[in-house]
């Protein structure tokens, strides 16, 4: 197994598309010590690019204050002087009716890109207004990626894809006993998936080994995902 992982590290430039690593910004990391544990774990697994996607809840957060808190936390990480993975700041934005009208929403995009990571509410059926909001965001030329799409009813994700959204999957969707479900493989084969995320919270020792296991299970199916993640990473405005 170790040899197989070594081959993966030679083949791919991994991007963790979804993580909660900033100290004190959300419930992903309560301290700098926890954050450094997370980053060291990623580094030891050969993952050198991480998109930080702290939770943003429109009903509870103000964009300006959120961004200030995010920047302060990021500065704390950089001031440690450790050799850590490269971090790209973003947010996991919970969708709500009219989210497209949120002032300064562009500050929540994945930095350097015109892409926003959207979290859907955990309900069986979405209000039709939420599809409308995604459609309006997309109409402005903004890329929409649906976070951890495997958590939702397939028909919801299929409708989002039909509007033009892309999707991100958590590595845990691939590492179960039976592997990815058929609809997940269909999303991958039809090139709707542009990122795999650890969605790491806290001092999770399995998060990054599981990321590698997910890539191993996907095999060549991961080629396109990794290509898309790196294309987005390398975009710079």
């Amino acid at each position: 197994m170790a040899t197989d992982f070594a081959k993966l590290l030679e083949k791919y430039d991994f991007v963790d598309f979804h993580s909660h690593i900033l100290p004190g910004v959300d419930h992903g990391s309560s301290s700098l010590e926890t954050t450094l544990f997370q980053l060291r774990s990623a580094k030891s697994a050969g993952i050198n690019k991480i998109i930080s996607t702290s939770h943003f809840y429109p009903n509870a957060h103000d964009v300006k204050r959120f961004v200030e808190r995010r920047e302060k936390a990021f500065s704390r990480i950089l001031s440690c002087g450790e050799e850590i993975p490269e971090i790209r700041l973003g947010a996991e934005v919970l969708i709500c009716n009219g989210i497209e009208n949120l002032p300064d929403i562009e500050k929540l995009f994945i930095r350097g890109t015109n892409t926003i990571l959207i979290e859907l509410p955990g309900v069986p059926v979405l209000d039709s207004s939420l599809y409308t909001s995604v459609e309006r965001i997309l109409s402005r030329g903004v890329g929409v990626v649906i976070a951890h799409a495997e958590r939702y009813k397939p028909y919801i994700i299929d409708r989002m894809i039909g509007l033009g959204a892309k999707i991100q999957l958590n590595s845990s969707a691939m590492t179960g006993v039976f592997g990815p479900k058929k609809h997940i493989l269909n999303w991958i084969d039809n090139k709707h998936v542009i990122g795999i995320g650890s969605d790491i919270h806290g001092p999770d020792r399995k998060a990054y080994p599981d990321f590698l296991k997910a890539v191993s299970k996907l095999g060549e199916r991961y080629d396109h995902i990794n290509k898309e993640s790196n294309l987005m990473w390398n975009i710079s405005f």
Side-chain angles (χ1 to χ4, degrees):
M1 186 65 72
T3 302
D4 291 340
F5 285 166
K7 289 179 181 178
L8 293 178
L9 296 176
E10 290 178 3
K11 183 176 182 180
Y12 296 117
D13 187 8
F14 296 116
V15 177
D16 180 1
F17 207 96
H18 184 154
S19 69
H20 297 270
I21 58 170
L22 296 185
V25 177
D26 66 9
H27 59 278
S29 173
S30 61
S31 66
L32 184 58
E33 181 182 18
T34 296
T35 292
L36 291 176
F37 173 88
Q38 294 171 324
L39 296 175
R40 290 166 187 155
S41 297
K43 191 77 176 176
S44 65
I47 296 166
N48 294 309
K49 297 176 179 177
I50 300 177
I51 301 175
S52 171
T53 52
S54 302
H55 285 288
F56 179 89
Y57 301 120
N59 65 329
H61 294 149
D62 170 82
V63 174
K64 181 180 178 181
R65 292 179 181 175
F66 174 84
V67 171
E68 288 174 349
R69 190 166 70 253
R70 186 179 66 178
E71 295 294 339
K72 184 177 180 180
F74 187 42
S75 295
R76 290 180 65 198
I77 297 172
L78 297 180
S79 67
C80 290
E82 285 202 30
E83 185 178 348
I84 59 172
E86 186 177 355
I87 298 170
R88 182 70 58 86
L89 296 178
E92 181 181 1
V93 182
L94 180 65
I95 195 170
C96 65
N97 185 19
I99 187 71
E100 70 276 14
N101 299 318
L102 181 71
D104 296 322
I105 190 174
E106 67 278 0
K107 294 180 181 178
L108 303 177
F109 295 173
I110 296 170
R111 180 161 291 175
T113 78
N114 203 30
T115 299
I116 188 169
L117 184 70
I118 292 288
E119 179 182 24
L120 303 180
V123 294
V125 180
L126 292 193
D127 186 288
S128 61
S129 66
L130 301 184
Y131 295 105
T132 301
S133 288
V134 167
E135 189 171 25
R136 287 173 178 167
I137 293 172
L138 288 162
S139 71
R140 298 173 184 173
V142 176
V144 172
V145 180
I146 305 299
H148 39 61
E150 73 280 356
R151 294 186 182 179
Y152 309 108
K153 297 289 186 181
Y155 80 88
I156 292 175
I157 299 303
D158 288 340
R159 185 168 173 183
M160 290 294 182
I161 289 169
L163 295 175
K166 296 295 184 177
I167 60 177
Q168 170 260 314
L169 300 171
N170 282 359
S171 52
S172 57
M174 267 67 70
T175 56
V177 175
F178 300 106
K181 294 181 179 179
K182 185 176 179 180
H183 64 270
I184 291 175
L185 292 177
N186 286 338
W187 291 335
I188 294 170
D189 290 341
N190 286 300
K191 304 191 184 321
H192 300 307
V193 181
I194 68 167
I196 300 295
S198 68
D199 201 2
I200 189 168
H201 286 71
D204 185 350
R205 296 181 182 277
K206 293 180 60 181
Y208 288 110
D210 281 353
F211 187 103
L212 297 183
K213 288 178 185 177
V215 171
S216 181
K217 282 200 172 187
L218 287 175
E220 292 185 356
R221 282 184 163 104
Y222 182 65
D223 290 359
H224 177 77
I225 299 172
N226 186 249
K227 179 181 177 182
E228 289 297 310
S229 292
N230 276 284
L231 281 173
M232 196 214 66
W233 183 276
N234 292 324
I235 290 173
S236 181
F237 294 148

